[in-house]
């Protein structure tokens, strides 16, 4: 198989300068990516927006926990001067280590385009901005038009002096020298909220041959702050210790400062997730990312680039919490950074990337190591002229089968290296032999069974007719292999209320036949022949049935339903047909009819914030777990579409869906007109999804560490096999690793994920993903290659699993403690010495506190009577199977200013930080988190926007009832629609659009998604949480 157009590097070698044009494995040499994987670590400056009112919260008082009155803001800046700074007050001096030669480059003073609407994204350098952000010097609020460079006294032009070897990147936030962090002003959910935090200083860089560092700027003014002088660290090059603290303003430390005139921290001076995302887009967006180097850090999930597989799996399939594992378990325990991989084995690959190659070795099947059973991959080393190979995972020496033999070239690589995907690529598929099939028989193509609740409510609401009408067209779009003309998937139909109705839709019948099963205690399948059919062959009978169902039950008055027997019946039908498949169940109420799996309403608000709260997330009867186990054993995946208008016990009803790799959809208070588009879109996407059936996943590792914990929509019968009745393109399994020995820095840490599954055409296949990580005995290397988005995914899943067995308060405390621990370890072992008042964050983790705070504020971890229990159980279940991109958006939503649309170009407006401070009365903003989408309109939104989007004359005429925008033929409408489609196209769930007008009731719901602010349910603001974490770090270090 000749493969043109890609080059692979020796997969076993360390990253070598020059391979694939990468310097030392850290991204292209001339990009701005010299600072860990987050690119250039500047945080954006944003001028206050016109029309946003500010108010002060007195220092030490707890900000209101209830809803804030419209127009008030958590963080006030009214006490700052809004023009040039006072004469005589000059910024501090930031200075990097002296340049290695006197010919250090000097750059012109940086200037700033005045952009009042949203933060400038890429161009500015961090230290220059820090000068702007020193609140105490009244520089953060200068009027439009003044550039920061005008702040710098004319005698000292701002020059950049860069060392040749910058040290490990980090960011510092300074508290006043010698200050004691005061006791918490208020204590919410076990988090302390503190009112003020100081400005930020940073230390940047990574050891290695990189160009001069443009990020250290020398500003004139007072002498450097405490702890400034460069300190040699215990490894590598020396550190730049530029630090910043308040200029002697608060001699007594924070605790002794009374009165409301306390200077608030400018939110722009703490690390911004948006800035990190924008920087990565600027340095790596649109480029080719080749996976030819072990342990390299991929672009962020939010960055669009083309991924070229050159020996390691694409980050679309596997992302890790760190790409360099600590070499010993002692080191791992010290840092407490979870070592985990988030594996999305069936992730969608965009059309401009190569789909997976399928390798077929015929009767002999895949080549595997005799000892550890790892599959042939780029980590196997051929020896003895190609006659044998050494396994990269267990080091066992194996004979090469005669049919697979090939000679080696002068560097010991097989001559056919590039012709065989399994030797040169990170991901590929094998055709499996009969040994890998159930009962050693080739599998049959899977089947889809549609099971519709025809109780009174669903008939009355029009839901049953809606489903039947949709299925008539949808069944033509069942998934099929690229080369096949029609789908091999067979379909079947069941309706139910208190009893089950099976339908015979055999192609030879003139009319469909109904068979009723009323003994729901012992469900059996009343017919085999004619229940599962090929839709194309039985089209007329099936269409006839779908026309008849709504009429057949039109006069029903049966309101009670069963649920577990429905799943049992579907599973028995698949078992009888000897095939795997999916059940699509459309259900609307608590199953209260006398039958197995009967549920009662057990929703009890009195359990909130007690040790028994965890029971609300556990199933109320054991039968659902046993049912789930049977479903997995028979390859029966359950997709559940719920339409509740009251409590339905999602924790119990969703359990089988969760364990079988299915998807749960919930449409509370479903209204046919408003909610049909969202439901139908979800149904279409789900039916058309590429899916692997009857799957089993095994994760193998090289010696020294192993997979210990698995999180996801999975079932585990033993400690190693991850069983999934089905796995689709959106499902991810998060795997945690632990050391069982020391790791070798030369050979690294290798991971192979193998998924055995049945394809939609009924072929048994193995999908293999391989990735190699580095190992190091230096903690700095581990921190440098961390990925915050993958860490967030891991912490969310481990916390959401823990709440089944531990009190929520304890889970929240563990998360705060873990965050503080990781940062304290960095501070102690990797950062240069500095004052205790400095909060120092590693560059790759500088926005971890934001995401951890968002997780702590999620409705799952916050027990409040206003939040429905079902909603919490639903969110918990969704997150458990999410990949990294989905958890990133879910915990930190995207906020776009759509009043600044570029109507001519293709660009989407740059995102804003999720805070009320970023909204303006004269603007319109779009917020999306993967489940919901809000269009927020300020009271002074320009009339031309209102006319363009809604075709009404003014703000007062906008209806907030609408859940979609009208189709209008104007540039505003077309542009907004294209942005909505773009955001939607990447997400598994269809987001319902909610229109929110400023100062109207629905704004309360919208405010919960402004995650940097204090939550109306009592979660801390980002600033307060940072103070809290800093206090914990100080305690750990003392």
């Amino acid at each position: 198989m000749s493969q043109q157009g890609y080059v692979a590097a020796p997969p076993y070698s360390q990253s070598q300068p020059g391979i694939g044009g990468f310097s030392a494995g850290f991204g292209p040499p001339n990009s701005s990516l010299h600072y860990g994987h987050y690119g250039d670590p500047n945080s954006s400056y944003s001028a206050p927006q016109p029309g946003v009112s500010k108010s002060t919260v007195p220092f030490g008082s707890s900000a209101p926990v209830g809803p804030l009155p419209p127009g008030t803001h958590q963080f006030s800046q009214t006490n700052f001067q809004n023009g040039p700074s006072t004469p005589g007050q000059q910024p501090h001096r930031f200075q990097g280590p002296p340049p290695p030669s006197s010919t250090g480059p000097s750059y012109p003073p940086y200037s700033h385009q005045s952009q009042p609407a949203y933060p400038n994204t890429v161009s500015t350098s961090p230290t220059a901005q820090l000068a702007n952000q020193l609140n105490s010097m009244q520089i953060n609020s200068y009027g439009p038009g003044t550039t920061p460079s005008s702040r710098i006294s004319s005698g000292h032009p701002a020059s950049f002096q860069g060392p040749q070897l910058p040290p490990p990147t980090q960011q510092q936030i300074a508290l006043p020298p010698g200050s004691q962090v005061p006791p918490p002003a208020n204590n919410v959910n076990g988090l302390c909220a503190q009112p003020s935090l100081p400005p930020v200083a940073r230390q940047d860089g990574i050891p290695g041959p990189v160009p001069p560092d443009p990020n250290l700027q020398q500003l004139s003014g007072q002498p450097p702050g405490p702890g400034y002088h460069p300190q040699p660290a215990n490894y590598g090059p020396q550190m730049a210790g530029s630090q910043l603290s308040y200029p002697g303003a608060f001699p007594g430390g924070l605790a002794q400062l009374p009165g409301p005139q306390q200077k608030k921290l400018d939110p722009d001076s703490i690390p911004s997730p948006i800035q990190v995302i924008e920087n990565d887009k600027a340095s790596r967006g649109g480029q080719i990312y080749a996976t030819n180097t072990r342990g390299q850090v991929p672009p962020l999930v939010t960055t669009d680039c083309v991924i070229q597989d050159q020996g390691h799996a694409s980050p679309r399939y596997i992302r890790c919490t760190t790409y360099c594992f600590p070499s010993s378990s002692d080191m791992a325990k010290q840092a407490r950074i979870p070592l985990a991989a988030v594996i999305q084995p069936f992730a969608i690959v965009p059309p401009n990337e190569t789909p997976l190659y399928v390798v077929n070795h015929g009767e002999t099947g895949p080549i595997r190591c005799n000892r550890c059973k790892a599959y042939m991959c780029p980590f196997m080393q051929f020896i003895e002229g190609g006659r044998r190979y050494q396994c990269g995972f267990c080091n066992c020496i194996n004979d090469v089968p005669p049919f697979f033999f090939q000679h080696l070239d002068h560097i010991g690589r097989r001559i056919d290296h590039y012709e065989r995907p399994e030797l040169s690529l990170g991901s590929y598929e094998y055709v499996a032999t009969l040994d890998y099939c159930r009962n050693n028989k080739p599998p049959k193509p899977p089947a889809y069974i549609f099971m519709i609740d025809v109780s009174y409510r669903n008939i009355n609401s029009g839901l049953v007719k809606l489903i039947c009408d949709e299925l008539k067209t949808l069944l033509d779009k069942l998934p099929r292999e690229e080369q096949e003309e029609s789908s091999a998937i067979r379909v079947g139909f069941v309706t139910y209320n208190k009893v089950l109705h099976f339908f015979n839709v055999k192609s030879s019948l003139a009319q469909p036949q109904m068979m009723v099963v009323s003994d729901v205690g012992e469900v059996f399948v009343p017919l085999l022949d004619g229940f599962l059919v090929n839709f194309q062959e039985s089209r007329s009978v099936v269409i006839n049935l779908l026309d008849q169902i709504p009429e057949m039950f039109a006069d029903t008055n049966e309101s009670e339903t069963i649920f577990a027997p429905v799943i049992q019946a579907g599973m028995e039908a698949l078992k009888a047909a000897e095939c795997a498949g999916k059940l699509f169940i459309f259900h609307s109420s608590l199953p209260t009819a006398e039958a197995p799996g009967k549920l009662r309403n057990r929703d009890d608000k009195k359990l909130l914030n007690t040790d028994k709260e965890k029971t609300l997330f556990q199933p109320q009867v054991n039968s659902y777990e046993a049912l789930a186990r049977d479903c997995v054993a028979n390859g029966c995946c359950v997709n559940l579409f719920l339409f509740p208008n009251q409590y339905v016990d999602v924790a119990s009803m969703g359990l089988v869906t969760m364990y079988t790799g299915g998807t749960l959809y919930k449409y509370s208070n479903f209204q046919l007109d408003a909610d049909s588009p969202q439901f139908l879109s979800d149904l279409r996407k789900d039916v058309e999804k590429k899916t692997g059936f009857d799957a089993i996943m095994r994760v193998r590792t090289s010696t020294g560490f192993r997979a210990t914990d698995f999180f996801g929509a999975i079932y585990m019968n033993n400690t190693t096999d991850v069983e999934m009745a089905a796995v689709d393109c959106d499902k991810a399994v998060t795997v945690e690793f632990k050391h069982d020995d020391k790791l070798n820095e030369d050979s690294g840490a290798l991971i192979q994920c193998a998924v055995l599954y049945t394809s939609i055409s009924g072929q048994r296949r193995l999908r293999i993903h391989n990735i190699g990580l580095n190992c190091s005995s230096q903690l700095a290397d581990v921190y440098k290659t961390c990925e915050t988005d993958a860490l967030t995914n891991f912490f969310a899943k481990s916390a959401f699993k823990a709440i089944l067995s531990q009190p929520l308060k304890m889970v929240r405390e563990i998360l705060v403690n873990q965050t503080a621990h990781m940062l304290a370890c960095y501070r102690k072992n990797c950062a240069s010495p500095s004052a205790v008042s400095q909060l120092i964050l590693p560059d790759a983790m500088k926005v971890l506190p934001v995401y951890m705070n968002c997780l702590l504020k999620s409705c799952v971890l916050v027990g409040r009577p206003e939040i429905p229990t079902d909603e919490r159980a639903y969110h918990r279940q969704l997150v458990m199977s999410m990949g990294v991109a989905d958890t990133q958006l879910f915990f930190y939503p995207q906020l776009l200013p759509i009043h600044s649309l570029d109507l001519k170009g293709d660009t989407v407006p740059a995102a804003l930080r999720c805070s009320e401070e970023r909204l303006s009365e004269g603007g319109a903003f779009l917020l999306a988190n993967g489940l919901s989408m809000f269009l927020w309109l300020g009271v002074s939104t320009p009339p031309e926007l209102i006319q363009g989007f809604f075709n009404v004359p003014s703000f007062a005429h906008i209806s907030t009832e609408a859940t979609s925008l009208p189709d209008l033929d104007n540039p505003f409408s077309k542009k907004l629609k294209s942005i909505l489609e773009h955001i939607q196209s990447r997400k598994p769930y269809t987001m319902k659009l909610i229109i929110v007008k400023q100062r109207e009731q629905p704004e309360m719901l919208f405010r919960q998604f402004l995650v940097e602010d204090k939550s109306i349910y009592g979660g801390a603001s980002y600033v307060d949480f940072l103070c809290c974490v800093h206090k914990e770090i100080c305690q750990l270090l003392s």
Side-chain angles (χ1 to χ4, degrees):
M1 179 186 308
S2 90
Q3 288 202 211
Q4 294 160 0
Y6 79 82
V7 195
Y12 340 95
S13 66
Q14 281 281 32
S15 57
Q16 298 162 3
I19 288 184
F22 278 68
S23 64
F26 263 95
N30 297 324
S31 75
S32 59
L33 191 78
H34 313 312
Y35 306 100
H37 68 301
Y38 278 126
D40 181 74
N42 34 358
S43 89
S44 74
Y45 156 75
S46 155
Q49 291 165 3
V52 176
S53 60
K54 311 259 167 144
S55 74
T56 39
V57 179
F59 177 78
S61 71
S62 57
V65 174
L68 295 171
T72 60
H73 292 263
Q74 196 77 42
F75 294 111
S76 56
Q77 287 168 344
T78 38
N79 47 4
F80 298 154
Q81 171 174 329
N82 216 356
S85 67
T86 344
Q89 253 195 314
Q90 290 177 331
H92 261 216
R93 185 181 187 81
F94 281 54
Q95 197 178 349
S101 70
S102 56
T103 55
S106 102
Y107 294 79
Y110 122 81
S111 74
H112 178 85
Q113 304 81 34
S114 166
Q115 282 183 320
Y118 48 94
N120 182 14
T121 48
V122 185
S123 56
T124 51
S125 89
T127 28
Q129 290 182 339
L130 297 176
N132 318 337
Q133 290 157 0
L134 288 180
N135 313 351
S136 56
M137 300 183 192
Q138 299 149 329
I139 291 180
N140 74 324
S141 301
Y142 39 78
T146 35
T147 64
S149 52
S150 66
R151 244 358 99 250
I152 296 164
S153 69
S154 53
H156 303 262
S159 68
F160 289 74
Q161 298 184 327
Q164 290 313 115
L165 290 171
T169 323
Q170 63 194 47
Q171 164 159 344
Q172 294 185 195
I173 298 177
L175 286 162
S179 68
Q180 293 301 306
V181 180
N186 57 358
N187 202 318
V188 181
N189 294 338
L191 300 182
C192 55
Q194 292 195 0
S196 92
L197 230 191
V200 178
R202 296 206 177 85
Q203 303 182 340
D204 298 285
I206 282 178
V210 287
D213 174 10
N215 280 325
L216 293 167
Q217 178 179 8
Q218 201 177 16
L219 296 172
S220 64
Q222 299 152 344
Y228 148 72
H229 297 288
Q231 306 278 350
N234 56 358
Y235 65 93
Q238 62 174 9
M239 293 293 212
S242 58
Q243 290 166 8
L244 204 75
S245 48
Y246 285 112
F250 309 128
L254 288 180
Q256 300 169 12
L257 290 169
Q261 286 307 306
Q262 167 66 27
K263 295 255 193 296
K264 285 285 174 188
L265 173 70
D266 171 14
D268 282 334
S269 63
I270 54 178
S272 156
I274 299 302
Q275 194 60 45
V276 165
I277 289 168
E278 292 298 331
N279 290 344
D280 197 68
K281 281 182 182 169
S283 62
R284 309 183 81 170
Q287 300 178 9
I288 288 179
Y289 171 75
T291 66
N292 56 6
T293 311
R294 192 183 76 198
Q296 66 182 346
V297 179
L300 298 183
V301 280
T302 41
T303 299
D304 272 328
C305 60
V306 178
I307 295 162
Q308 217 172 56
D309 185 340
Q310 294 189 7
H312 296 270
S314 157
R316 298 191 198 287
Y317 297 122
I318 304 183
R319 282 184 174 271
C320 298
T321 51
T322 174
Y323 293 85
C324 177
F325 277 12
S327 52
S328 70
S329 62
D330 289 346
M331 238 177 109
K333 284 181 189 132
Q334 194 181 352
R336 299 232 327 232
I337 295 172
L339 306 177
V342 186
I343 304 173
Q344 203 163 329
F346 285 80
I348 291 175
V349 171
N352 59 352
E353 291 176 20
T354 320
L356 296 192
Y357 288 95
V358 180
V359 179
N360 190 346
H361 287 323
E363 298 283 299
T364 52
I367 297 168
R368 305 178 67 175
C369 168
N370 291 328
R371 183 194 291 159
C372 71
K373 300 292 181 231
Y375 294 87
M376 179 55 68
C377 69
F379 305 145
M380 305 298 190
Q381 179 79 53
F382 288 88
I383 53 174
E384 295 179 25
R387 287 189 299 279
R388 308 176 88 182
Y389 68 91
Q390 182 168 18
C391 173
F393 295 92
C394 70
N395 301 320
C396 173
I397 302 216
N398 297 271
D399 290 330
V400 172
F403 83 91
F404 196 68
F405 173 77
Q406 186 53 273
H407 295 285
L408 308 184
D409 64 12
H410 64 288
I411 57 167
R413 183 192 281 166
R414 282 173 55 124
I415 295 166
D416 62 355
H417 178 85
Y418 292 113
E419 277 129 53
R420 291 195 177 270
E422 71 272 36
L423 300 183
S424 54
L425 297 178
S427 301
Y428 43 87
E429 292 202 311
Y430 278 117
V431 175
T433 55
L434 290 179
D435 302 344
Y436 294 88
C437 302
R438 256 181 218 276
N439 310 326
N440 290 16
K441 284 180 7 197
K444 294 180 180 168
Y448 284 0
I449 303 177
F450 297 91
M451 314 184 88
I452 306 169
D453 163 2
V454 289
S455 59
Y456 172 78
R457 213 184 112 217
N458 285 3
I459 293 288
N460 215 29
S461 68
L463 178 63
V464 173
K465 186 174 189 323
L466 180 75
I467 294 166
C468 291
D469 289 347
E470 178 61 31
L471 287 178
K472 290 181 213 169
T473 52
L474 191 52
L475 292 175
D476 275 322
K477 299 180 186 146
L478 292 170
R480 56 188 169 86
E481 297 284 359
E482 262 82 26
Q483 67 277 11
E484 290 179 5
E485 293 201 356
S486 66
S487 174
I489 293 172
R490 291 173 298 160
V491 293
F493 304 88
V494 172
T495 57
Y496 66 93
N497 38 46
K498 274 168 80 167
V499 295
L500 290 151
H501 320 109
F502 285 77
F503 294 94
N504 184 342
V505 282
K506 202 173 176 180
S507 56
S508 56
L509 295 173
Q511 283 283 338
Q513 296 171 347
M514 177 165 96
M515 298 185 178
V516 179
V517 175
S518 52
D519 181 4
V520 291
E522 291 288 324
V523 176
F524 67 98
V525 181
L527 76 159
L528 286 179
D529 190 32
F531 178 61
L532 293 178
V533 297
N534 178 306
F535 175 64
Q536 301 304 340
E537 291 169 12
S538 295
R539 174 187 291 272
S540 60
V541 193
V542 170
I543 299 282
N544 196 336
L545 170 67
L546 294 170
D547 282 334
Q548 285 181 34
I549 287 175
E551 293 163 16
M552 208 183 299
F553 299 100
D555 302 328
T556 187
N557 54 8
E558 185 54 75
S559 58
E560 281 197 311
T561 56
I562 54 175
F563 182 64
V566 181
I567 298 176
Q568 182 84 31
M571 182 196 72
E572 296 290 351
L574 292 175
K575 188 174 172 181
E578 296 183 339
C579 69
K582 263 190 202 181
L583 311 182
F584 291 79
I585 302 181
F586 305 91
H587 189 94
S588 68
S589 58
L590 197 67
T592 53
E594 274 311 319
K598 174 185 173 179
L599 299 174
R600 59 186 170 78
N601 185 338
R602 52 146 183 185
D603 191 15
D604 186 358
K605 300 293 183 198
K606 291 199 285 295
L607 298 181
L608 298 182
N609 300 309
T610 70
D611 282 357
K612 288 195 173 164
E613 184 171 4
K614 57 178 179 267
T615 59
L616 295 174
F617 296 103
Q618 299 163 356
Q620 59 170 287
V621 289
N622 294 336
S623 53
Y624 284 101
E625 290 203 31
L627 183 57
R629 190 170 55 242
D630 289 349
C631 283
V632 173
N634 289 288
C636 170
C637 168
V638 179
N639 275 354
L640 179 56
F641 294 79
L642 277 176
F643 304 87
N645 57 3
Q646 57 199 42
Y647 177 76
V648 290
D649 198 350
V650 169
S652 299
M653 293 187 73
L655 190 81
V656 179
T657 299
M658 171 99 156
Y659 278 154
T660 58
T663 310
L664 176 61
Y665 300 90
K666 183 161 91 61
Y667 311 92
S668 299
N669 303 312
F670 182 83
Q671 300 290 322
L672 203 64
D673 305 337
D675 302 313
S676 296
Q678 181 193 11
F679 158 57
L680 294 177
S681 165
D682 280 337
L683 178 58
R684 284 170 202 145
K685 274 196 212 175
D686 204 309
V687 167
E688 295 169 27
K689 261 181 197 177
K690 284 279 191 292
T691 305
F693 296 88
D694 199 10
I696 186 160
M697 178 170 110
R698 177 72 72 86
V699 177
R700 292 181 174 82
T701 56
S702 52
T703 52
F705 73 114
R706 63 195 165 84
T708 55
D709 256 315
F710 299 85
F711 308 92
I714 54 173
Y715 182 77
M716 296 200 69
N717 225 353
N718 54 38
T719 54
T720 54
D721 296 333
V722 177
E723 297 182 58
M724 297 168 280
V727 53
D728 65 42
C729 53
D730 300 313
K731 299 286 182 291
V733 180
T734 301
V735 184
E736 186 176 15
F737 301 99
K738 293 260 165 57
H739 287 75
D740 46 21
D741 203 351
K742 218 169 153 41
L743 296 178
N744 182 329
E745 294 195 30
D746 295 335
S747 51
L750 310 178
I751 298 168
Q752 182 178 80
C753 164
V755 184
L756 174 65
Y757 73 99
T758 301
S759 72
I760 42 180
S761 60
Q763 189 179 44
R764 201 70 176 148
R765 288 189 190 167
L766 283 149
R767 180 169 283 220
I768 314 290
H769 297 298
N770 305 287
I771 190 168
L773 308 176
N774 288 337
C775 299
S776 174
S777 55
Q778 300 294 342
L779 277 170
D781 295 335
V782 180
Y783 279 95
K784 201 164 58 189
T785 59
C786 280
E787 183 177 316
T788 295
D789 296 329
L791 281 166
T792 306
N793 180 283
F794 172 83
F795 283 126
K797 289 187 183 182
S798 58
F800 286 8
K801 185 176 180 179
I803 62 172
L804 294 177
S805 53
Q806 292 170 9
L808 268 79
K809 185 167 184 283
M810 189 190 289
V811 173
R812 290 195 297 262
E813 282 166 4
I814 289 169
L815 287 171
V816 178
N817 186 266
Q818 177 95 20
T819 309
H821 234 283
M822 293 190 296
L823 299 175
C825 175
Y826 177 82
R827 167 74 187 254
K828 186 176 167 189
N829 299 287
C830 310
S832 56
S834 58
V836 181
S837 58
Q838 301 282 346
L839 171 58
I840 298 183
L841 304 169
D843 193 60
M845 273 189 195
K846 68 184 177 198
V847 290
L848 182 66
V850 175
Y851 286 102
M852 290 299 265
N853 191 34
C854 296
L855 168 58
L856 286 159
K857 292 199 284 191
S858 74
C859 71
V860 181
L861 296 182
V862 175
R864 290 289 295 235
E866 305 93 321
I867 309 172
T869 306
D870 273 347
E871 195 64 15
R872 298 174 70 196
Y874 175 58
H875 281 198
R876 178 187 167 271
Q877 182 155 338
L878 298 194
V879 169
M880 284 308 286
S881 63
M882 279 184 183
V884 178
D886 292 339
T887 48
Q888 189 277 330
L889 185 68
F890 182 75
F891 289 111
Y892 195 95
Q894 190 173 20
L895 180 64
L896 302 176
I898 53 169
H899 48 272
S900 47
L901 288 176
D902 170 11
L903 296 177
K904 297 188 177 62
D906 294 334
T907 54
V908 173
L912 302 176
R913 295 174 71 163
C914 287
S915 168
E916 195 177 7
E917 299 203 329
R918 310 288 159 172
L919 306 178
S920 57
E921 291 190 354
F925 298 83
L926 182 71
L927 182 143
N929 77 336
L931 289 186
S932 313
M933 201 181 255
F934 295 88
L935 179 53
W936 183 92
L937 302 156
V939 287
S940 324
T941 306
E944 64 272 18
L945 270 187
I946 292 172
Q947 185 71 47
F949 293 156
F950 299 99
N951 203 21
V952 297
S954 73
F955 182 80
H957 290 81
I958 298 169
S959 160
T960 52
E961 298 298 302
T963 53
S964 61
L965 295 170
D967 283 311
L968 303 173
D969 189 15
N970 70 61
F972 288 111
S973 182
K974 286 179 175 166
K975 181 71 186 178
L976 180 55
K977 288 257 177 173
S978 81
I979 289 173
L980 293 176
E981 279 164 25
H982 176 73
I983 294 173
Q984 186 58 72
S985 66
R986 303 157 167 247
K987 293 297 150 200
Y989 293 90
T990 306
M991 294 176 258
K992 178 177 165 182
L993 182 68
I994 299 165
I995 292 161
V996 175
K997 291 161 78 171
Q998 187 179 4
R999 298 178 194 152
E1000 289 191 9
Q1001 185 55 41
E1003 204 181 16
M1004 295 301 297
L1005 181 61
F1006 169 75
R1007 288 242 184 109
Q1008 294 170 37
F1009 295 93
L1010 299 175
V1011 289
E1012 288 197 22
D1013 298 342
K1014 194 178 180 93
S1015 154
I1016 58 168
Y1017 296 127
S1021 70
Y1022 173 25
V1023 174
D1024 290 343
F1025 181 68
L1026 215 46
C1027 284
C1028 177
V1029 168
H1030 184 242
K1031 178 166 170 270
E1032 291 253 339
I1033 292 170
C1034 291
Q1035 283 173 349
L1036 288 169
L1037 293 175
S1038 63

